[in-house]
C-alpha cells in the first residue's frame, strides 16, 4: 500500500495550530504529498522537512517548493539524521493497516527529541460510514466481499496506542467534517479516487455497476442542496514524547 496521500490543506491548517513549538523548531511533515502544508509550516517560521513514500509526490513538492527539503521515505521506516522537535502528519495514518499502527508510532517516537510532539489528523471512527456501508451492500448483492481499505479508530482506541509508544496525549478530538464534492459525479469520483483497493480484481463493468448502486443508495442522505457531501469524521491528536 502506498502511504502517500494528498494533504487536505483546509483542515490541515487548523491542525497546524496545535503545534506548540517556537519558531526555528524542526518540524517533519510526514506524508507531505505535494508540500502545501510543509510550505505553510515554513511560513510560520519552522525549519521543515517533508517526507513522503511516493517519488511522484516528492518530485512535485521539490518542483513547487524548491527552497524546502523533501525526502522520499516510508512512514514506518523513516530515520532522521537527528531527532525532530515535532512530527506533523495530516490525512496519512488511516492508510496504514491497524496491525502496523504500533510500529508507526514507535518509529515516530524514535525520531523525536524527548519532550517533542506528534501532531496529527486523519480519518476517525465513522468516517464515510454511509458510503462504506452502501458499497458493502452492493458488493454483497453481487456475491463479493467488501474489503474496507482504511483504519478509522476512536480516541479510546488510539490514545492507548500512543501512550504505549511513549507519547503522552495532550489533546484529542473526534469530530464530523462533512466534505463537499464537486459536480454531479462527485460521489462516484470520490469512490474511484480513494477506494481503489476494494475493487482490485473486479472487472470494469461490474465495478461501475457497484459504484452506481452505492451512489444511488446514499443519494437520499448525502446529496444535499445540489451537491454531494461525504460524511467524513476526523480524529485530531497531539502527544508529547516522555522520558523512557
Amino acid at each position: 500500500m502506498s502511504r502517500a496521500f494528498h494533504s487536505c490543506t483546509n483542515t490541515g491548517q487548523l491542525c497546524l495550530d496545535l503545534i506548540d513549538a517556537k519558531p526555528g523548531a524542526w518540524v517533519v511533515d510526514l506524508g507531505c504529498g505535494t508540500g502545501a502544508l510543509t510550505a505553510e509550516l515554513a511560513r510560520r517560521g519552522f525549519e521543515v522537512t517533508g517526507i513522503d513514500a511516493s517519488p511522484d509526490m516528492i518530485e512535485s513538492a521539490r518542483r513547487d517548493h524548491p527552497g524546502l527539503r523533501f525526502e522520499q521515505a516510508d512512514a514506518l521506516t523513516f530515520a532522521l539524521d537527528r531527532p525532530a522537535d515535532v512530527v506533523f502528519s495530516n490525512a496519512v495514518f488511516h492508510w496504514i493497516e491497524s496491525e502496523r499502527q504500533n510500529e508507526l508510532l514507535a518509529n515516530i517516537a524514535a525520531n523525536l527529541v524527548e519532550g517533542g510532539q506528534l501532531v496529527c489528523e486523519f480519518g476517525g471512527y465513522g468516517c464515510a460510514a454511509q458510503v462504506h456501508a452502501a458499497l458493502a451492500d452492493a458488493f454483497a448483492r453481487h456475491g463479493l466481499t467488501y474489503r474496507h481499505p482504511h483504519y478509522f479508530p476512536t480516541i479510546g482506541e488510539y490514545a492507548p496506542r500512543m501512550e504505549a509508544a511513549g507519547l503522552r496525549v495532550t489533546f484529542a478530538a473526534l469530530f464530523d467534517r462533512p466534505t463537499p464534492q464537486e459536480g454531479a459525479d462527485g460521489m462516484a469520483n470520490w469512490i474511484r479516487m480513494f477506494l481503489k483497493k476494494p475493487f482490485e480484481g473486479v472487472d470494469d463493468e461490474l465495478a461501475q455497476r457497484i459504484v452506481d448502486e452505492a451512489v444511488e443508495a446514499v443519494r437520499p442522505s448525502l446529496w444535499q442542496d445540489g451537491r454531494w457531501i461525504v460524511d467524513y469524521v476526523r480524529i485530531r491528536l497531539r502527544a508529547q514524547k516522555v522520558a523512557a
Side-chain angles (χ1 to χ4, degrees):
M1 178 192 302
S2 171
R3 294 181 177 87
F5 192 80
H6 295 278
S7 292
C8 181
T9 55
N10 290 339
T11 59
Q13 295 274 354
L14 297 175
C15 191
L16 289 176
D17 294 339
L18 282 181
I19 295 175
D20 183 17
K22 295 179 179 179
W26 183 25
V27 181
V28 172
D29 183 4
L30 186 60
C32 63
T34 58
L37 291 177
T38 320
E40 175 60 26
L41 286 162
R43 283 190 288 271
R44 295 186 181 205
F46 298 116
E47 177 190 354
V48 297
T49 300
I51 292 178
D52 203 288
S54 166
D56 291 340
M57 291 293 103
I58 291 298
E59 181 181 354
S60 178
R62 287 171 174 164
R63 182 179 61 248
D64 294 345
H65 309 286
L68 302 182
R69 177 184 174 190
F70 295 96
E71 299 178 1
Q72 182 188 346
D74 192 283
L76 296 171
T77 57
F78 77 95
L80 304 174
D81 53 13
R82 58 187 170 91
D85 299 301
V86 179
V87 171
F88 170 81
S89 188
N90 183 57
V92 174
F93 287 13
H94 58 252
W95 292 94
I96 298 173
E97 299 90 340
S98 174
E99 295 77 11
R100 306 201 73 180
Q101 290 287 328
N102 293 350
E103 183 181 349
L104 167 70
L105 293 170
N107 191 48
I108 290 171
N111 282 281
L112 280 171
V113 299
E114 187 175 315
Q117 297 174 10
L118 167 61
V119 175
C120 57
E121 179 176 319
F122 56 101
Y125 182 78
C127 188
Q130 294 184 57
V131 182
H132 289 295
L135 284 166
D137 288 345
F139 269 71
R141 281 194 297 273
H142 294 280
L144 301 173
T145 299
Y146 180 69
R147 297 169 295 161
H148 198 303
H150 298 136
Y151 170 64
F152 295 142
T154 64
I155 292 171
E157 176 184 353
Y158 208 72
R161 287 187 152 191
M162 299 180 88
E163 291 167 355
L167 298 164
R168 181 174 61 89
V169 177
T170 59
F171 176 89
L174 184 74
F175 56 96
D176 294 332
R177 198 202 77 194
T179 303
Q181 306 299 307
E182 293 184 6
D185 293 326
M187 181 62 72
N189 291 338
W190 185 89
I191 291 171
R192 294 188 192 99
M193 177 175 291
F194 294 115
L195 303 179
K196 291 181 171 65
K197 190 169 185 178
F199 290 92
E200 290 175 357
V202 180
D203 71 71
D204 292 344
E205 183 178 347
L206 178 55
Q208 183 60 56
R209 194 177 311 150
I210 289 172
V211 170
D212 290 344
E213 290 176 7
V215 167
E216 290 310 306
V218 298
R219 186 179 295 276
S221 57
L222 298 182
W223 175 257
Q224 301 174 12
D225 300 322
R227 63 181 182 177
W228 285 106
I229 304 291
V230 179
D231 53 327
Y232 275 22
V233 177
R234 278 326 209 212
I235 187 168
R236 187 177 290 166
L237 300 149
R238 181 178 61 204
Q240 185 176 43
K241 181 177 177 178
V242 297

